[in-house]
């Protein structure tokens, strides 16, 4: 330890064309004291406190909005607006099946259990869902990609992804989550008293989950009839 300190003291640091050693460094100038304003004219910052005589900057906080252009119509108002933001739209995090198959091959996701949104997030296949409403399974499988038979629980899925999962011998179910239900699903240890499963409230979500439940039941019964 003493040898290390001795070597550090002998170390020279070159800054701005001159060299100095660590033992000669000082803390002078590191802490900047705030200016003392309004303490008499002899202080140099008395009377107007360095703000000048008159004007907008001498009154109040003296701040001017960055968009202010002296009273003329600002640039943000001179140009027309296009489009709008749909507050009723759903934003889902995409989960490609190729990435899912890759994570399964690496052992980061267990295919023997039902793959839930919690498993997808904790494996870092999706990095958080604070600004999303769930996950959507997408199909981008290549002919060389091997997808094992998996059982997935997700918010949405594309038609091609459903067909690819069922062709591999797996299944998929859909479950609705609101913000609070998603938080409990991802971190159940933070909820002392479990809350009930959320039910869709928007008309579009209600119709989707009703339709998809009936569709998946029909597809399951059709596959069962084909096997018989």
């Amino acid at each position: 330890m003493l040898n290390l300190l001795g070597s550090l003291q002998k170390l020279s640091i070159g800054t701005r064309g001159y060299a100095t050693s660590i033992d000669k460094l000082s803390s002078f100038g590191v802490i900047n004291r705030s200016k003392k304003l309004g303490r008499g004219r002899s202080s140099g910052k008395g009377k107007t406190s360095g703000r000048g005589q008159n004007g907008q900057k001498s009154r109040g906080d003296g701040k001017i909005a960055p968009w202010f252009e002296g009273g003329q119509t600002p640039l943000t108002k001179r140009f027309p607006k296009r489009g709008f933001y749909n507050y009723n739209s759903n934003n889902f995090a995409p989960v490609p099946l190729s990435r899912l198959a890759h994570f399964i091959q690496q052992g980061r996701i267990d295919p023997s259990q039902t793959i839930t949104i919690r498993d997808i997030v904790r494996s870092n296949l999706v990095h958080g869902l604070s600004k999303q409403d769930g996950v959507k399974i997408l199909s981008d499988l290549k002919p060389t990609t091997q997808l094992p038979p998996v059982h997935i629980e997700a918010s949405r899925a594309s038609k091609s992804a459903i067909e690819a999962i069922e062709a591999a011998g797996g299944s998929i179910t859909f479950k609705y989550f609101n913000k609070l239900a998603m938080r409990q699903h991802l971190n159940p240890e933070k909820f002392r008293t479990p809350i009930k499963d959320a039910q869709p409230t928007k008309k579009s979500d209600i119709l989707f989950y009703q339709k998809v439940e009936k569709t998946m039941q029909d597809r399951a019964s059709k596959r069962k009839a084909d096997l018989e």
Side-chain angles (χ1 to χ4, degrees):
M1 187 67 181
L2 293 176
N3 294 333
L4 179 60
L5 292 174
S7 60
L8 286 175
Q9 289 180 352
K10 295 179 181 179
L11 180 65
S12 295
I13 303 174
T15 57
R16 295 187 180 180
Y18 63 90
T20 182
S21 57
I22 291 180
D23 56 350
K24 293 182 180 180
L25 294 177
S26 66
S27 60
F28 178 75
V30 175
I31 300 175
N32 295 324
R33 294 184 177 180
S34 59
K35 295 179 182 179
K36 294 183 179 180
L37 306 178
R39 296 297 184 269
R41 295 187 178 185
S42 61
S43 66
K45 292 293 180 182
K47 192 188 174 186
T48 55
S49 302
R51 293 195 175 200
Q53 293 292 330
N54 298 312
Q56 182 177 0
K57 293 184 179 180
S58 68
R59 295 174 169 84
D61 57 4
K63 294 181 180 179
I64 302 174
W67 49 264
F68 186 67
E69 299 181 11
Q72 70 179 13
T73 306
L75 187 67
T76 54
K77 291 187 178 182
R78 290 201 297 267
F79 282 87
K81 307 300 184 293
R82 293 287 184 268
F84 71 101
Y85 180 79
N86 187 3
Y87 290 92
N88 294 320
S89 62
N90 293 321
N91 183 20
F92 297 106
V95 178
L97 281 178
S98 60
R99 292 284 296 168
L100 182 63
H102 179 66
F103 273 51
I104 292 174
Q105 291 176 0
Q106 288 185 334
R108 299 171 68 174
I109 295 179
D110 185 11
S112 62
Q113 305 291 333
T114 301
I115 301 175
T116 62
I117 298 178
R118 184 192 307 117
D119 300 327
I120 293 173
V121 172
R122 291 188 175 181
S123 65
N124 281 336
L125 181 56
V126 172
H127 298 283
L129 294 174
S130 60
K131 296 183 180 180
Q132 281 84 15
D133 300 305
V135 299
K136 183 175 182 178
I137 310 298
L138 303 177
S139 176
D140 63 341
L141 289 177
K142 299 179 181 179
T144 57
T145 305
Q146 296 293 331
L147 180 67
V150 291
H151 302 281
I152 304 174
E153 181 186 85
S155 304
R156 301 286 175 93
S158 63
K159 184 177 179 181
S160 56
I162 296 174
E163 294 174 353
I165 294 171
E166 292 179 346
S171 63
I172 183 169
T173 56
F174 300 96
K175 188 174 181 180
Y176 172 79
F177 291 96
N178 58 10
K179 294 293 183 182
L180 182 61
M182 181 63 72
R183 283 169 49 199
Q184 178 183 245
H185 179 68
L186 297 178
N187 302 296
E189 66 278 0
K190 294 184 178 181
F191 289 78
R192 296 182 179 179
T193 304
I195 61 175
K196 295 182 179 179
D197 292 337
Q199 298 297 326
T201 56
K202 293 190 294 187
K203 183 178 180 180
S204 58
D205 290 336
I206 294 173
L207 294 177
F208 170 79
Y209 285 100
Q210 288 179 350
K211 181 180 178 180
V212 77
E213 183 179 3
K214 184 177 183 303
T215 303
M216 297 305 293
Q217 290 177 355
D218 295 342
R219 292 171 70 94
S221 59
K222 184 178 179 181
R223 287 199 309 271
K224 185 176 180 181
D226 293 340
L227 292 175
E228 293 177 354

